Amino acid sequence: MKLERELMRGAGPTAVLKLLSRRAMYGYELVEALAAQSDGVLAMGQSTLYPMLYNLEAKGLIEADWRDADNGRQRKYYALTGKGKSKLKADEKAWTKLTQALGDLGVVKGAPA
Amino acid sequence: MSNGFTNAWGWSIRHSPLMAMWRSTRSMIHPNKNAFALLEAAALPEPVDAVIRTTIARTKLWRDERAHIARELIAHAQDSLDAGRDPHQVADTFGDPRRVARLMRRSMKRKRPFSWQLYRCSRRVAAALFLIVLAGYVTLAVRFYSGSPYIETDYFAVLSAHDSAYGPEQRSWPVIAEVGHRWDRESSRLINTHTSLNSILAARPGDAGYEDLVETVRAMEQDLQQVREAAKRPIIGAPKGYELEQVHEEGVSWTVGIVPADEEAYLDHTLIGALLPQLSWTRRLSILLAFDARLAREEGDTDRVVQNLISIAHLARQCSREPYLISSLVSMAIDGMFAKEIALILREDPNLFSTGQIAELAHANAMTQEADLNLETERMLFDDILQRAYTDDGSGNGRLTPEGAELLAGLQGIYWRDANQTNSSYQVMESVAMPTMLLLMNDRAEERAIYNSILDRNKLVLAQGPRAIGWMSYDQQVLEWRAEQRLPMISPAEMVAPAMGSSVQQVFLHRMRDQAAAAMFAIEVYRNEHARLPESLHELPASLLPQQPQDAFDLGNTIRYIKGDYGGYVLYSVGADGDDDRASPPTEYVDNVNDLMMRYPFIITQDDSGKPLVERDASGQPRLGSPLGPDGDWILIDTRPAPDDPQAP
């Protein structure tokens, strides 16, 4: 199941920030991780991912640098900035409240009441 | 520290406006060069290479930004291929190149330097402003070019009715036109032959061409007799028209009359465009009569002298009956010439006139109406312009029309347009610029209100007398203040205001000159009866001088009178400085020496908004400041012979 565009626009950046909070990752790795760890719900192609990364970078939430990979090629790794960490914390709180509110309304099944 | 400093410098240079400009400019030439070089080096399978190539090309970003994206997409594709994906599958996951390129472009631009963001923002603001201005202009242009005037009142008929009660035998016009044309030709020949005759009345025996002038005037004696007879008629009664009747003689065009206009002609012409050759002819025939009076005196023909002078007074009277403000001014000028010529004769020949002749001259002087201005015709002239220039919404208001803009352009000096320009690009520019006139000009009701307030103020000042003359300068300051509060407005009403104010002043001054002339006649009768001059004007009995002449520059007091050391006398006003200098004229040169506004200046201050305010006394009357005029008096009548004059003892 894929999310509608508007939902994805809200959830996607938070999901990316969350992944990057664990460690620096490169584009292909992020695409794969989003698909695998969200059971395909938050899967996005590079056509969506890279513009999103550039936006987050423009806002100063993430930073990027090119590094040598094991196979001898170069990859661009993205990492969370201090500002990005604060933003992620705020997003997590907001999503928790949202999920709770939707649970209270019975929209989200099994959410804490 | 040093490294940090270097990095900071590097960042500043990379993100400087100059660098942003350089990157933008460089991208205009081979924008894909770096990106495609990376793709060549990566040697990706054809479908993957093609989709990245297309995407990159469509981003329309700077060259280094395209290279940056290419590098990242190449890495992504290589990771996908390394994971065992089919090249076609990898290419498919890139999505629609056009959409991807658009998303990339948007997000990449957000990363651009602040200077570029600022530039883009200001460019958008400028574009938005331009669109707003354009929309406003289009609205204005539609409004301007959709308006057309409506001529409601036939003021020409109103003005033509002015003379309708008079028959042909009561009009001097045919004679004025015929002799006026003849004198035009003769005086033109004289001036062309003898430049010294540029001013006929300044010509003196011995001057070059003087004899020619004398012969020419003598040859016109029959014409002059016709003029003397015609001058006795009630009115000039010239036809109203917009076209001169002309004849061509030896390559020169001469005006011989006016083509009477019909109602249809009125539709195409403003009332202000009506031609008035009768005024210049009347004035020039008055000069001819004055010169002939001098000749008559030399010949000992005093009756002719008197008849000529009386005829001049009659011509002044006829001019004053013409319904225009300009005709009032011409009438005053001719009347002034009448008094001045008599004073000159008396200076040289104090005993020339008999008591009866002086009485005749005094009667002629009294016959001219008291100087006034035909302001109601001015109101008609202006209303006529308004109805031709503005639309009519039925309630007295309206906006400027294209025809109106053309009309105002034709009235020289009323606004900026160069009516002689025929250059097509100039005309296009003018058509584009014309709708903005709606912003620069008042609407019809406001323009009329301004004009009426100016006109009504002039009438009020005329009724109240010279002490109220300060209202003229106050009104002028209010107009200037209004102009400062708004866009640089173009207002025909405001432009004619100062000229009207100076005409009011002329009326006051002329009334005083007229009274001085009346005093002169009374003095001359007294001298004939008593064989001496009176010691003061108060010595003159009321039968000779019913009212003492009032000094406009010294209200409540009479015009000063002093007998000359060698005979004769002088009648004078104390002048613009308000003090008596014993008939010494001003030696200091200032513009408009005899300016009543210098004598009775209002004290004008400003309120909080800068609007002029007139200071008033306890009774509510405007307070007057100190006189500003130059030291010296204003000589009105002077019959004193100069010390070297043969008349002097």
Side-chain angles (χ1 to χ4, degrees):
Chain A
M1 187 195 121
K2 279 211 155 193
L3 289 180
E4 282 186 24
R5 181 186 285 189
E6 290 305 314
L7 274 174
M8 191 63 188
R9 189 171 287 174
T14 308
V16 168
L17 291 177
K18 185 66 185 173
L19 287 175
L20 294 179
S21 70
R22 294 169 189 157
R23 63 182 171 84
M25 298 173 84
Y26 55 92
Y28 178 79
E29 196 178 11
L30 277 167
V31 170
E32 293 296 312
L34 280 167
Q37 294 179 33
S38 68
D39 202 15
V41 173
L42 293 170
M44 60 178 82
Q46 62 261 40
S47 62
T48 307
L49 178 74
Y50 286 110
M52 185 189 293
L53 288 171
Y54 297 154
N55 283 337
L56 293 172
E57 198 180 356
K59 289 175 185 171
L61 301 177
I62 61 174
E63 58 190 2
D65 66 326
W66 289 91
R67 295 180 199 170
D68 291 330
D70 297 340
N71 58 11
R73 289 199 296 267
Q74 281 201 319
R75 290 191 181 113
K76 191 178 180 184
Y77 279 79
Y78 292 92
L80 217 53
T81 62
K83 193 177 171 186
K85 285 174 188 166
S86 304
K87 176 76 168 91
L88 178 61
K89 271 186 189 172
D91 282 0
E92 282 173 343
K93 278 185 188 172
W95 279 106
T96 305
K97 278 189 179 177
L98 180 67
T99 314
Q100 277 178 344
L102 290 171
D104 292 343
L105 289 168
V107 177
V108 178
K109 306 293 181 191
Chain B
M1 178 73 184
S2 165
N3 195 30
F5 183 77
T6 310
N7 285 343
W9 266 104
W11 189 92
S12 300
I13 292 168
R14 279 198 306 279
H15 293 80
S16 66
L18 207 61
M19 190 55 77
M21 196 186 300
W22 160 242
R23 289 165 75 191
S24 169
T25 310
R26 196 179 60 155
S27 300
M28 292 176 188
I29 308 161
H30 305 306
N32 298 313
K33 185 180 172 186
N34 296 358
F36 287 0
L38 289 170
L39 277 165
E40 296 291 334
L44 294 170
E46 196 277 332
V48 181
D49 180 275
V51 76
I52 294 177
R53 220 172 257 273
T54 310
T55 304
I56 295 294
R58 288 193 163 167
T59 58
K60 297 175 185 171
L61 291 164
W62 292 342
R63 189 196 286 184
D64 54 350
E65 289 172 334
R66 295 184 200 211
H68 181 95
I69 293 171
R71 194 176 171 195
E72 188 146 26
L73 292 183
I74 289 166
H76 189 101
Q78 284 171 334
D79 284 335
S80 298
L81 292 168
D82 287 351
R85 301 258 169 87
D86 176 66
H88 289 286
Q89 193 187 359
V90 172
D92 287 346
T93 60
F94 269 90
D96 174 24
R98 184 184 303 223
R99 180 175 158 273
V100 177
R102 192 173 68 241
L103 292 170
M104 292 284 193
R105 181 167 62 246
R106 281 186 192 164
S107 54
M108 207 53 147
K109 281 183 176 177
R110 289 193 185 111
K111 288 173 61 180
R112 285 185 177 175
F114 176 72
S115 58
W116 183 86
Q117 305 284 358
L118 193 67
Y119 163 71
R120 185 171 69 159
C121 183
S122 57
R123 205 174 55 175
R124 285 180 175 176
V125 169
L129 284 176
F130 174 76
L131 287 176
I132 291 169
V133 170
L134 186 67
Y137 172 79
V138 168
T139 310
L140 208 62
V142 168
R143 194 170 155 72
F144 179 72
Y145 283 111
S146 65
S148 59
Y150 172 61
I151 300 175
E152 187 182 12
T153 308
D154 186 349
Y155 291 109
F156 185 80
V158 175
L159 213 55
S160 297
H162 180 265
D163 295 343
S164 60
Y166 297 92
E169 74 286 352
Q170 293 174 298
R171 301 170 185 238
S172 64
W173 167 247
V175 174
I176 297 284
E178 187 186 336
V179 181
H181 159 229
R182 201 165 295 145
W183 176 228
D184 272 355
R185 280 193 314 185
E186 293 300 329
S187 57
S188 177
R189 180 189 62 77
L190 285 166
I191 292 167
N192 287 338
T193 314
H194 317 285
T195 50
S196 58
L197 296 181
N198 197 26
S199 169
I200 299 292
L201 291 181
R204 293 286 179 270
D207 289 350
Y210 184 80
E211 290 306 318
D212 194 357
L213 170 63
V214 170
E215 287 306 311
T216 304
V217 173
R218 282 185 175 144
M220 289 187 71
E221 180 50 38
Q222 282 190 340
D223 295 313
L224 283 170
Q225 186 52 34
Q226 282 190 65
V227 173
R228 288 182 204 111
E229 289 301 319
K232 293 173 189 167
R233 297 172 191 172
I235 61 168
I236 297 176
K240 306 286 183 287
Y242 309 104
E243 196 184 335
L244 295 173
E245 210 178 308
Q246 293 190 313
V247 294
H248 303 277
E249 294 169 2
E250 297 170 4
V252 181
S253 296
W254 299 101
T255 298
V256 293
I258 304 169
V259 180
D262 55 19
E263 283 184 18
E264 279 188 23
Y266 170 68
L267 293 173
D268 297 329
H269 296 84
T270 55
L271 204 57
I272 205 170
L275 299 171
L276 309 169
Q278 67 267 36
L279 297 182
S280 62
W281 272 336
T282 308
R283 188 163 183 275
R284 301 181 73 188
L285 288 177
S286 299
I287 292 171
L288 179 61
L289 284 166
F291 188 82
D292 186 60
R294 293 181 184 179
L295 295 184
R297 189 170 70 80
E298 285 172 13
E299 293 162 11
D301 187 352
T302 311
D303 281 344
R304 199 167 101 225
V305 174
V306 172
Q307 288 314 306
N308 278 7
L309 293 170
I310 290 173
S311 298
I312 292 172
H314 274 299
L315 290 178
R317 172 187 54 77
Q318 288 186 344
C319 265
S320 73
R321 298 290 297 271
E322 292 287 292
Y324 310 97
L325 183 142
I326 181 84
S327 57
S328 304
L329 298 176
V330 172
S331 169
M332 286 188 263
I334 295 174
D335 209 25
M337 187 197 307
F338 164 75
K340 188 178 175 186
E341 282 301 309
I342 293 171
L344 287 173
I345 290 169
L346 291 172
R347 177 183 295 183
E348 295 177 5
D349 198 348
N351 301 313
L352 180 71
F353 300 122
S354 67
T355 301
Q357 287 169 329
I358 294 168
E360 278 187 80
L361 291 169
H363 179 70
N365 185 54
M367 168 189 69
T368 55
Q369 294 173 333
E370 187 182 42
D372 207 343
L373 294 176
N374 295 312
L375 293 176
E376 285 313 309
T377 307
E378 291 299 301
R379 205 189 302 269
M380 261 195 276
L381 294 174
F382 195 74
D383 281 345
D384 182 59
I385 290 173
L386 289 184
Q387 72 172 350
R388 292 165 190 278
Y390 288 80
T391 59
D392 183 1
D393 66 359
S395 60
N397 204 356
R399 63 184 187 277
L400 187 72
T401 63
E403 292 93 331
E406 285 289 327
L407 169 64
L408 294 180
L411 301 174
Q412 278 191 350
I414 288 190
Y415 94 91
W416 44 267
R417 182 178 181 260
D418 182 356
N420 298 321
Q421 267 286 4
T422 52
N423 182 294
S424 61
S425 60
Y426 176 88
Q427 286 170 343
V428 169
M429 275 167 49
E430 189 184 67
S431 301
V432 172
M434 265 199 190
T436 57
M437 299 281 288
L438 286 179
L439 298 176
L440 297 175
M441 293 196 70
N442 297 316
D443 60 25
R444 181 173 173 164
E446 192 174 355
E447 197 64 28
R448 190 167 197 276
I450 294 171
Y451 191 81
N452 279 347
S453 74
I454 295 167
L455 207 69
D456 292 342
R457 178 80 86 185
N458 277 271
K459 291 179 82 168
L460 194 70
V461 173
L462 275 172
Q464 290 184 341
R467 199 187 151 84
I469 198 80
W471 286 116
M472 304 278 98
S473 60
Y474 167 76
D475 283 349
Q476 186 56 36
Q477 289 191 29
V478 169
L479 292 176
E480 287 168 10
W481 170 76
R482 280 166 55 97
E484 285 169 10
Q485 304 301 303
R486 307 165 304 181
L487 285 166
M489 287 286 185
I490 300 163
S491 166
E494 291 178 13
M495 287 180 178
V496 298
M500 212 181 294
S502 71
S503 300
V504 170
Q505 178 148 224
Q506 283 303 313
V507 169
F508 290 140
L509 299 180
H510 187 73
R511 284 176 183 171
M512 180 167 60
R513 278 197 298 253
D514 236 14
Q515 290 183 44
M520 171 179 70
F521 295 123
I523 292 167
E524 292 305 320
V525 172
Y526 184 95
R527 171 157 57 182
N528 280 2
E529 289 176 352
H530 297 82
R532 67 173 179 85
L533 289 169
E535 294 304 315
S536 77
L537 293 182
H538 295 288
E539 203 177 322
L540 297 168
S543 58
L544 289 180
L545 190 63
Q547 286 182 325
Q548 290 289 316
Q550 296 298 305
D551 189 344
F553 286 102
D554 190 16
L555 294 173
N557 291 307
T558 59
I559 286 169
R560 298 333 191 241
Y561 163 78
I562 297 179
K563 291 199 291 182
D565 294 338
Y566 305 103
Y569 52 89
V570 59
L571 291 164
Y572 66 96
S573 158
V574 295
D577 65 343
D579 63 51
D580 189 347
D581 298 293
R582 303 290 294 168
S584 299
T587 50
E588 177 193 354
Y589 174 80
V590 290
D591 283 340
N592 206 0
V593 167
N594 303 310
D595 192 335
L596 284 161
M597 285 190 204
M598 288 186 179
R599 176 66 181 96
Y600 305 112
F602 278 14
I603 299 174
I604 301 172
T605 54
Q606 292 181 341
D607 67 9
D608 293 341
S609 67
K611 184 183 178 183
L613 273 183
V614 170
E615 276 192 18
R616 294 169 186 270
D617 59 20
S619 65
Q621 290 300 309
R623 286 182 57 212
L624 299 180
S626 302
L628 306 168
D631 191 35
D633 299 330
W634 183 25
I635 310 300
L636 298 168
I637 300 284
D638 190 357
T639 68
R640 297 171 297 178
D644 57 349
D645 195 302
Q647 294 299 320

